[in-house]
Each structure stands twice: as C-alpha cells, then as structure tokens.
Amino acid sequence: MSLSNDFEKRIKAILGDEFEQFEEALEREPVRAIRLNPIRLGDTSANKASIILGKTSANLEDEILWEPTGYSFNSGTPGKHPYHEAGVYYIQEPSAMSPVSFLDPQPGEKVLDLCAAPGGKSTQIACRMKGKGILVANEIDRKRAQILSLNVERLGIRNALVTNMKPEILSEIFEGYFDRILVDAPCSGEGMFRKNDEAIDNWSEDNVELCAKRQTDILRSAVKMLAPGGRLVYSTCTFAPEEDELQAGILIQDGLKPVSIELYDGMVPGDIANIQKVRDIVGTFDFDEYISFQKQISSEINEAVKKCTARLWPHKLKGEGHFLAVFEKEGDISLNHGNYGINGSIKPVKETDIKPFMQFADENIKEIDITKDQKGFVHIQGCISGNPFLFGDQLYLAPEGMPGIRGLTVLRPGLHLGTIKKDRFEPSHALALAITTEAVRYSYELHDTSKAMQFIGGMSFREPGLSNGWYLITFDGYSLGWSKYAGGSLKNHYPKGLRIYT
C-alpha cells in the first residue's frame, strides 16, 4: 500500500514506535463481519451465525466483543445470497459496530442518526429499539439517502423516518427533541485505507481541515436537537486528531458532559496531545474554533477527553480505524419520556380513502385488525401497527408518535404499505419484508438457493392448482417479496431496480 509522506508523518507523530505495526496491519486483508438481524431472527447466537454463514460458504471466526449480534467470518459470499436480500443480516466491519454500542439506544426512545448512509449504524440502532420508539435516519446526499432507505427496507424496519436534510435545517424543526443522537460524521476516511483505495487517493491535508470545520458545524446542529439529559455519540473512521480529539474537546468546552466509558480489549483512549503532535508537523490551522480551543486547553479538558473517547487502530484489534466519543447534555432525560409530538402530525385517513387496501388486507392478510376512532379515522393493529396515511398515491403506516413531515424532505415516512391505483392496491416490497408467513393467507416457499436467486432476478414460476391472490415468497422461511397468482402462474413482483441477475 502506497501512503503519502504527509500522512505517514502524521501517524508516526501519534504512534511513534508502533508505526511499523500499523503499516503491517494495513497490508493484511480487511476483517469481514455480519450482524444478524433480530427483527428476522429469534436466535442471534454464535451457533445460529455459524449455520447461516455456512450456507453462504463462509466460516464463522469470532464474536464481536461490543456487538452481541456481530460475527466476523472468512471466505464465502454472504452479499450474494438470498439471505442478504431477505435482510437476515447486514454486512458491516467490526469497528463500525462500536459507536452504536456506546450510544445504547433503548426501545421507546426518540433517536437520530444524523449522517446515516449507507445505513449500517441506523439498522443497528433499529435492531436495538425492537420496533418501539422513533428512529430518524438522515442523510444530506440524495443518492446515499436512497441507499439508506433501501437498507432500512431490507431489514424490515417499521419505525424509521428517513430524511434528506441539511443538519442545520433539521435542527430548526427538532430542537431539544431526541433522547439519543449518533453523529457518524463525514471524514477524511483514513481508517478505511485498507478497504478503499479511493480513500487513499482522495486524502490531503486540506481535506482533513475541511472535514474538521464541517464536523464542528454538524455537531453544533446535533447538540441543538439533543434533549436535556440526552446522550450524543460522535464517531469517525479517521485517525486525524483535528477530526477526533479536537471535536471532542470543543464539545466539552461548549458545555456537553463527557461520559466515562469502559473500553473493550484493543481500544485505547483519545489524547488531546495528539492534536499538537500533528500540528507541530503540519503548521498552523486557520480555524477559529481551533485557535480558541488552544487558548483554553487545560489538564481538566485533557482528562475529560481521555475518559470519554476511544480510538480503534487496525494493529490493535480486528477491525478498521475508528474513533468515538460519548457525551450527555445537562438535564433530566425522564422529562422527555413519551414526548413525541413535534412538527404537527400526519394527516389521518378514513376507510373511504383506502378501500383498495382494506380489500387487499381482508383477502390476503390474516393477522390484522383495522379499527376506527370516533372521528372515523383508521388505525391498524396486529402483524403491523400504526396510523395509515397517504403520501400521494402511496400508502404508508406511521409508527405511533411519528413526527409530522411538513417541511421535511422525506424518503421513507414509516412503513411503506403499497400503492393505491384507482380501485386496486398493489402491496410494496417493504411490506413483504416486514411480515412473516404467519401473517398472510398465501405463501410459497422456495426450497433451494438457485430458485431463490431466480426469483430475486425477476423470474415468475408456473405452479398449477393454487388459489388466486398475493403470495409471500420465502426462502428458508424468510420473506423475499411478492408474487401474484393467476392463470396457473406466480407472477413476479420483485422490484425491477433491486433485481440481481445470475
């Protein structure tokens, strides 16, 4: 691996005699890992992981210390298996799983993942929330936000609002709202050099400084959205102290409380001294917050940064480079419990608005109870639950307490149920991935991998003697998508944009 001289000087300044071990680690193969999806699986044990990985020709290696559903593996192609498309697992390298462990989201809370694409950490948060509470997953880049939305869909997540907003605009709407916020900030990507040659090519001193300034702005928007007593975790996949310890120090100076954290084997605490070690080589940093921070730095700030931060180096543990820091805002978080209402509310629907869906549910879904309140507005309970609403001709199911979407650029407001087309309803792929065979009247099991991949590639199947209706297609019992049976054929309704042709 060819590293720039400027980057090497910076890392040598931080690591000293350990640089050679670091350099050797970058020459090794990246560690590959998955997180099993508890939304899909009742059992997320190592034994279950071994069975699932084995069916993809992969071998289980180790459990991930900081993520109980995480497992590293070797060989195999889990990303090209029906299990992947069914959302049975998410492929994510081990270090990237660490920030959510320290965020520690709980069921029923209001959680924000501010820089969420491609969705690894958002889906990890959702799995810990167990379908209860509100997850807002935001991404400023439109194309990356679309990938985020698809990953939320693939894992069967029902309680997420996916937005495409600038943090400073989002903060005007959600001031003081969230119990927990993750800021996995855009960074210079030094920790990804072993995985991504493009990160090496794009690295420069100027980019490090640009990222640091941008991160400070993003974090100030995040702090504004954090409820009193709430927790904020900041993370990057870089080694640059301007993007790591400097940001942690600024947050402490701005009034956030550092949270003492217990590090896992291989993690080391951050150190304010790293900033000066690097800047002694690089020179001055034309950044007001840096200049102000340098004037106010103290031994108390240094100790605070050490106790609330962790650095993950590839020569010290099995994973890529990462940094994280944990903070809380002064106040009593219990006062924010259940306080969901913000930004208005969604527009509820009546039976007459969604007759085609009502008919679809009656004919195809078993475990569903559709009721009306005194005003005639519809509420759904059972295998899916929430308040249905229309977004154009698209029908969504909002989780209880979902914020209003007025003024938001939204890609996914809750669970997408399907499309109302005049007098008929076509169920969405998201609905298929959010329910199980127990919930539907008709299902069709594909018994081998090749046939499942054919379905994912868009193939329809001839099958005489079935009843007409919508069939949930499954593999090993896991939902893959819909087919509609008529005239002796199961017509494939797998989304064209998601098909994988083999």
Side-chain angles (χ1 to χ4, degrees):
M1 183 180 296
S2 178
L3 303 173
S4 77
N5 289 333
D6 289 341
F7 173 74
E8 285 194 7
K9 288 177 184 177
R10 292 169 62 93
I11 300 301
K12 284 178 180 176
I14 297 172
L15 289 179
D17 294 340
E18 290 183 36
F19 178 78
E20 191 172 315
Q21 298 172 47
F22 168 79
E23 200 170 29
E24 289 173 357
L26 294 190
E27 296 298 330
R28 295 195 286 267
E29 285 294 314
V31 180
R32 303 165 69 197
I34 62 169
R35 280 186 297 104
L36 295 184
N37 180 7
I39 298 171
R40 287 275 181 271
L41 303 163
D43 178 7
T44 57
S45 67
N47 182 60
K48 186 68 171 181
S50 180
I51 293 169
I52 286 173
L53 285 167
K55 291 184 178 182
T56 72
S57 301
N59 299 309
L60 174 69
E61 281 193 334
D62 294 310
E63 299 179 32
I64 308 303
L65 295 177
W66 43 85
E67 174 48 59
T69 68
Y71 304 92
S72 63
F73 66 90
N74 59 51
S75 67
T77 54
K80 297 180 180 179
H81 193 275
Y83 284 158
H84 182 267
E85 305 316 307
V88 173
Y89 47 72
Y90 190 99
I91 299 172
Q92 185 180 29
E93 71 88 15
S95 295
M97 300 179 193
S98 59
V100 173
S101 173
F102 289 94
L103 184 69
D104 193 27
Q106 298 297 312
E109 292 183 327
K110 301 175 290 294
V111 183
L112 169 65
D113 186 356
L114 185 54
C115 311
K121 295 178 178 68
S122 283
T123 55
Q124 188 180 4
I125 290 169
C127 288
R128 292 187 176 223
M129 293 175 72
K130 300 179 181 178
K132 298 177 181 178
I134 301 294
L135 168 62
V136 176
N138 181 71
E139 172 57 43
I140 191 171
D141 182 272
R142 181 74 180 184
K143 289 184 178 179
R144 285 171 54 80
Q146 290 169 344
I147 295 169
L148 164 66
S149 183
L150 289 174
N151 279 321
V152 167
E153 174 180 279
R154 182 170 61 85
L155 268 71
I157 294 162
R158 308 175 185 182
N159 60 324
L161 175 64
V162 179
T163 58
N164 174 216
M165 305 281 289
K166 292 180 179 179
E168 62 269 26
I169 297 176
L170 203 67
S171 70
E172 293 298 321
I173 297 171
F174 288 104
E175 183 171 357
Y177 178 72
F178 293 102
D179 301 306
R180 298 179 196 258
I181 297 177
L182 174 66
V183 181
D184 186 47
C187 67
S188 56
E190 296 172 355
M192 295 293 106
F193 281 5
R194 183 164 62 175
K195 287 182 64 180
N196 188 348
D197 291 339
E198 189 177 340
I200 300 174
D201 296 337
N202 291 339
W203 186 89
S204 69
E205 291 281 4
D206 288 344
N207 192 40
V208 168
E209 296 185 2
L210 176 67
C211 288
K213 293 175 181 178
R214 181 171 56 198
Q215 289 153 357
T216 300
D217 291 338
I218 292 171
L219 282 167
R220 288 197 166 137
S221 293
V223 171
K224 186 176 178 180
M225 290 185 276
L226 189 64
R231 172 170 290 201
L232 184 147
V233 171
Y234 171 68
S235 62
T236 71
C237 56
T238 192
F239 308 116
E242 300 94 329
E243 302 179 62
D244 294 344
E245 286 94 344
L246 175 60
Q247 304 302 324
I250 291 172
L251 284 172
I252 293 168
Q253 283 191 348
D254 283 353
L256 285 193
K257 294 192 304 180
V259 175
S260 294
I261 58 175
E262 186 173 338
L263 303 185
Y264 293 90
D265 288 348
M267 295 181 181
V268 296
D271 190 341
I272 286 291
N274 289 334
I275 304 170
Q276 198 57 48
K277 287 177 183 177
V278 167
R279 298 318 300 185
D280 284 344
I281 295 169
V282 176
T284 58
F285 185 11
D286 184 21
F287 180 35
D288 291 343
E289 280 77 3
Y290 169 70
I291 295 167
S292 174
F293 178 76
Q294 287 295 96
K295 289 179 180 178
Q296 300 178 51
I297 194 169
S298 64
S299 59
E300 288 81 9
I301 290 281
N302 190 25
E303 288 306 308
V305 168
K306 283 183 177 178
K307 77 177 186 178
C308 75
T309 59
R311 277 184 170 270
L312 286 70
W313 293 93
H315 66 291
K316 290 182 176 291
L317 46 69
K318 292 183 177 180
E320 305 309 308
H322 232 75
F323 172 86
L324 63 89
V326 186
F327 308 92
E328 288 180 355
K329 184 184 276 190
E330 290 283 355
D332 183 357
I333 194 61
S334 67
L335 299 178
N336 199 46
H337 179 71
N339 183 25
Y340 287 110
I342 196 168
N343 197 40
S345 59
I346 60 166
K347 184 179 179 181
V349 295
K350 296 186 176 182
E351 283 187 2
T352 52
D353 300 319
I354 58 169
K355 270 188 175 180
F357 170 74
M358 304 277 285
Q359 183 178 349
F360 165 83
D362 182 59
E363 294 174 353
N364 297 281
I365 309 294
K366 291 190 298 187
E367 296 183 357
I368 191 167
D369 183 19
I370 302 175
T371 60
K372 296 181 293 184
D373 64 17
Q374 291 179 339
K375 294 181 179 180
F377 295 129
V378 174
H379 182 74
I380 295 176
Q381 291 180 313
C383 62
I384 52 174
S385 62
N387 301 307
F389 71 102
L390 285 164
F391 200 51
D393 62 356
Q394 304 300 309
L395 183 62
Y396 281 84
L397 189 67
E400 292 293 340
M402 191 182 83
I405 59 176
R406 185 185 69 253
L408 297 177
T409 304
V410 176
L411 274 70
R412 184 173 297 273
L415 174 63
H416 185 206
L417 297 178
T419 307
I420 293 180
K421 298 180 177 181
K422 295 184 179 179
D423 295 328
R424 63 187 180 89
F425 177 80
E426 186 169 302
S428 72
H429 189 58
L431 178 60
L433 295 175
I435 58 178
T436 63
T437 55
E438 288 77 14
V440 297
R441 297 194 186 281
Y442 308 117
S443 63
Y444 186 85
E445 171 75 8
L446 302 175
H447 293 286
D448 62 74
T449 304
S450 61
K451 200 164 186 179
M453 291 307 296
Q454 288 172 352
F455 173 76
I456 291 167
M459 183 176 288
S460 297
F461 301 114
R462 296 291 300 175
E463 187 69 42
L466 299 181
S467 299
N468 288 348
W470 286 93
Y471 280 73
L472 185 65
I473 306 300
T474 62
F475 172 73
D476 266 5
Y478 304 116
S479 305
L480 286 177
W482 295 108
S483 282
K484 189 175 185 181
Y485 187 80
S489 177
L490 284 162
K491 184 181 178 183
N492 192 304
H493 279 259
Y494 203 88
K496 290 182 180 179
L498 299 179
R499 291 178 181 178
I500 299 172
Y501 301 99
T502 56

